[in-house]
Amino acid sequence: MDSHGNIFITNSGWNNIREISTAGIVSTFAGDLNGSPGSVDDAGTAARFFNPQGIAIDQNDNVVVWMFRISN
C-alpha cells in the first residue's frame, strides 16, 4: 500500500501490476495491458514483466517489482 492508501497487486497471469485506488477503481499501473511477457525496465504500460511475484513500496511511493523466471 502506498502513502495515499492505494493497493498494488501482481497479476502474474497477465504479467502486469494492478492498482486498486482508495475509491475502489482497478487499473493497470504497469505492464502490458494485453499480458505480453517481457523484461523492460520502464514506467507505466511501457514496462514489461515475466511472472511478477512481489512488490515493495518505499517511503517515496516508488514501486519495485520482483519477478521469477525459470529457464531451461
Side-chain angles (χ1 to χ4, degrees):
M1 183 180 329
D2 69 9
S3 65
H4 304 286
N6 300 307
I7 297 170
F8 297 85
I9 59 170
T10 60
N11 189 349
S12 296
W14 281 89
N15 298 303
N16 58 33
I17 308 304
R18 305 288 280 165
E19 177 183 3
I20 304 170
S21 73
T22 56
I25 298 170
V26 179
S27 61
T28 299
F29 176 76
D32 185 54
L33 298 172
N34 297 314
S36 298
S39 182
V40 177
D41 185 10
D42 210 332
T45 56
R48 293 292 176 269
F49 305 103
F50 183 87
N51 198 14
Q53 294 293 308
I55 298 173
I57 302 172
D58 69 13
Q59 68 270 14
N60 296 316
D61 288 336
N62 294 306
V63 177
V64 178
V65 179
W66 178 74
M67 294 188 299
F68 180 72
R69 182 175 184 157
I70 299 173
S71 60
N72 294 336

